[in-house]
């Protein structure tokens, strides 16, 4: 999906969380109480121009203040 990215300032490709580590990061940031809370409406910027990783919701470009980035996992 292509969404406007608050951090990049342009429309960029985004992807959904790919594994449980990423889903857990989003659940913690969004303060979702249940361990299996639905987080597939959050998207992560995968800009080819920069290493952005900004997290957004499908309908909200800036759901976190300040904006949050998905950490890089080993």
């Amino acid at each position: 999906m292509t969404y406007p990215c608050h951090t990049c300032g342009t429309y960029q490709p985004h992807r959904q969380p790919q594994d449980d580590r990423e889903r857990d990061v989003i659940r913690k940031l969004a303060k979702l109480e249940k361990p299996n809370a639905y987080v597939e409406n959050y998207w992560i910027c995968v800009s080819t121009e920069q290493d952005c990783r900004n997290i957004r919701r499908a309908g909200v470009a800036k759901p976190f203040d300040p904006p949050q980035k998905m950490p890089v996992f080993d």
Side-chain angles (χ1 to χ4, degrees):
M1 280 310 256
T2 301
Y3 285 115
C5 179
H6 175 75
T7 305
C8 294
T10 60
Y11 278 79
Q12 294 293 331
H14 285 67
R15 65 171 176 78
Q16 290 181 304
Q18 294 179 330
D19 59 28
D20 287 335
R21 293 181 299 181
E22 291 183 346
R23 288 181 190 92
D24 287 344
V25 167
I26 293 171
R27 284 183 189 111
K28 183 177 177 183
L29 289 171
K31 297 181 177 129
L32 300 172
E33 299 294 324
K34 297 180 182 178
N36 61 346
Y38 184 78
V39 296
E40 302 304 321
N41 58 343
Y42 285 87
W43 294 78
I44 302 161
C45 180
V46 290
S47 170
T48 55
E49 299 166 12
Q50 59 188 5
D51 186 24
C52 181
R53 301 181 327 275
N54 185 57
I55 301 170
R56 63 161 291 146
R57 278 200 342 239
V60 180
K62 189 179 172 187
F64 306 111
D65 189 19
Q68 298 294 313
K69 295 179 180 264
M70 181 60 66
V72 177
F73 298 104
D74 297 332

